[in-house]
Amino acid sequence: AIHATNTDEAEFYNVAEEAVENYDKKFAGAGVDGLLSVLNLGNAGQILLTQSAWLNVQYCSLLGELDQPFPIDCGLYDIPNLGVSQVVEILPRVLKGRVFNDPSCECFAPGARRSPVSANGVAFVFTCPELGNVDTAKIPGIVEEAIEVFQNMTRQLVYARDERGNFYGYECQEVGPGNFMLAFESLELAMNYATNIQEKLLDFNWDPQLLQRPGFEEQKDGEGRLMQRGLRVSIGVAFGYPHYMMPHPNTGRADYFGPIVNLCARVKQAAKPGQILVALKSKDDKKRKKTQDIIKKYAKNFELISLGKHTLRGINGTVALAELVPRLHKHRVFGFGGNLSPENASHIVNIGQLAESKIMQYQDKVIQGLLSAEKKLLR
């Protein structure tokens, strides 16, 4: 086990000559006690680093000199005598096939080995906070605080547990503040996160100074209903089968590869600030149902509005997209705009409109039949 700490938590002191062999007695303090706790969590042959130790060597050139060992994120744990800390396992490249059990103490966030399995299908979520005209190189403190609120909300939702004790989701990476790549075992769980986070952002008690900034102010529709307030986040959602998963070489977190990951990233780019776009079907997704059938399947718990099929940059063929609307704010529909336009859409399906049109067609047939019968009677 390896842990990095300061001299306040690990004090060196002299010992008598006869006690020189008792090396553990040459250092004492909270840091040493925490290190011993991590050591007790590990398995024989395993190398574990605490978060502080990993941050010291994560991007260090020394790892390259050591033939770039293989890091695996084990998760976030409450470690006795140390507190809550990430634990990272390091495997020599020649032994990267080794598999150990995760630490047995209380876990607050899952590790790479607990991430969704590619073969079962994975629902991905990409997020992007909208900063408006803010210079990303000099983000004001009040905006940084807003992004931090979003980060905390996201991790609370993702790291919550269901009735079986399983985590709801997994954080693959955060590329820039608030730009998350998340993975879920099902499309329902992914859409549940997306609607919950948008509702929380809209209802949060934001700092009045933030609400005075352009791009963060309160906005309402023509009927006085709240549309935007505070930090806006664009969200893209897609379900599919990644080609494979492997720990990221710099973070040790589960990283997925395949067209479905690229698709989800493009869907996020097409979303407006505050909007949730869901990829229902793509050209590579040959086994899934028709768009209207997919919307009907989730209609009980989710408000999905079809936006038709669109061409997204770098994606093969067209993609059937739908807007996911939070149930507590059903009026909050953004529709087309940004990178989407009605001119580029085809086969737009709205279940309500579809049912209404079918009823109208049926009524027209009944009326025509009655008129025809009336004419025959008059003759």
Side-chain angles (χ1 to χ4, degrees):
I2 303 174
H3 174 53
T5 186
N6 54 47
T7 53
D8 294 334
E9 294 187 345
E11 181 183 357
F12 173 79
Y13 62 94
N14 294 322
V15 294
E17 288 295 328
E18 60 272 14
V20 170
E21 293 182 2
N22 298 328
Y23 293 104
D24 60 323
K25 294 183 179 180
K26 295 184 69 176
F27 287 89
V32 177
D33 294 338
L35 174 63
L36 293 175
S37 296
V38 177
L39 185 65
N40 292 331
L41 294 175
N43 302 280
Q46 189 176 27
I47 306 171
L48 295 179
L49 278 68
T50 63
Q51 185 171 347
S52 59
W54 174 238
L55 291 175
N56 273 279
V57 300
Q58 186 173 3
Y59 300 102
C60 182
S61 59
L62 177 63
L63 291 180
E65 296 174 11
L66 296 174
D67 196 25
Q68 200 64 44
F70 204 72
I72 300 176
D73 171 44
C74 295
L76 198 64
Y77 293 88
D78 186 7
I79 301 172
N81 304 312
L82 188 62
V84 178
S85 171
Q86 180 190 16
V87 176
V88 177
E89 179 183 340
I90 295 294
L91 282 170
R93 288 245 157 216
V94 294
L95 300 175
K96 65 180 182 180
R98 273 185 170 182
V99 178
F100 295 102
N101 293 325
D102 285 333
S104 57
C105 57
E106 185 177 4
C107 181
F108 289 103
R113 292 191 179 99
R114 296 194 197 182
S115 61
V117 180
S118 299
N120 298 336
V122 180
F124 294 99
V125 173
F126 279 71
T127 68
C128 180
E130 175 59 41
L131 301 183
N133 57 1
V134 173
D135 183 358
T136 54
K138 300 178 181 178
I139 299 177
I142 197 168
V143 177
E144 285 185 336
E145 292 174 6
I147 296 175
E148 186 175 344
V149 167
F150 168 61
Q151 291 171 318
N152 292 335
M153 286 180 177
T154 288
R155 291 183 173 120
Q156 286 173 4
L157 289 172
V158 171
Y159 297 155
R161 294 175 182 261
D162 61 19
E163 62 277 3
R164 297 172 297 170
N166 297 324
F167 290 102
Y168 278 108
Y170 181 80
E171 178 188 339
C172 300
Q173 55 183 299
E174 184 183 13
V175 184
N179 288 269
F180 286 106
M181 173 184 170
L182 308 172
F184 299 83
E185 291 184 349
S186 68
L187 185 57
E188 291 93 336
L189 288 173
M191 292 194 296
N192 193 56
Y193 158 79
T195 53
N196 280 337
I197 196 69
Q198 293 290 20
E199 289 170 352
K200 285 179 176 292
L201 289 170
L202 200 63
D203 298 335
F204 187 74
N205 185 23
W206 297 106
D207 190 314
Q209 293 184 9
L210 178 73
L211 299 177
Q212 294 175 5
R213 296 186 64 92
F216 298 87
E217 71 279 12
E218 187 174 290
Q219 294 179 354
K220 297 182 179 181
D221 63 9
E223 298 181 25
R225 297 172 299 188
L226 189 62
M227 291 292 291
Q228 301 276 29
R229 187 174 178 277
L231 183 68
R232 285 87 152 135
V233 177
S234 305
I235 298 180
V237 182
F239 178 87
Y241 295 83
H243 288 174
Y244 62 95
M245 182 282 289
M246 66 177 293
H248 191 282
N250 288 332
T251 66
R253 293 183 178 275
D255 200 9
Y256 295 85
F257 298 86
I260 185 60
V261 180
N262 299 330
L263 171 61
C264 192
R266 297 303 185 194
V267 172
K268 179 263 298 179
Q269 290 177 348
K272 291 181 180 180
Q275 187 180 37
I276 308 168
L277 288 183
V278 181
L280 297 180
K281 188 175 177 67
S282 67
K283 187 175 180 180
D284 295 327
D285 196 6
K286 299 176 181 178
K287 296 182 179 180
R288 300 193 68 194
K289 301 177 181 179
K290 293 181 179 180
T291 302
Q292 56 265 43
D293 293 333
I294 297 173
I295 292 178
K296 286 180 181 178
K297 176 182 177 181
Y298 298 107
K300 182 178 179 180
N301 299 313
F302 300 99
E303 297 285 338
L304 284 165
I305 301 173
S306 174
L307 298 179
K309 295 181 180 179
H310 294 265
T311 300
L312 301 178
R313 184 167 60 90
I315 302 301
N316 184 31
T318 58
V319 181
L321 295 177
E323 180 171 359
L324 176 60
V325 183
R327 284 247 160 139
L328 295 181
H329 303 281
K330 291 184 180 181
H331 64 279
R332 198 169 182 251
V333 179
F334 294 94
F336 295 102
N339 295 324
L340 297 181
S341 64
E343 292 77 13
N344 295 328
S346 61
H347 307 294
I348 298 177
V349 178
N350 183 298
I351 296 303
Q353 292 177 357
L354 184 65
E356 184 179 354
S357 66
K358 293 292 185 184
I359 292 171
M360 292 296 291
Q361 291 173 15
Y362 174 75
Q363 289 176 340
D364 288 341
K365 288 182 179 180
V366 171
I367 293 171
Q368 291 298 326
L370 290 174
L371 289 174
S372 177
E374 185 179 2
K375 288 180 180 178
K376 289 180 180 180
L377 288 172
L378 290 172
R379 289 175 185 173

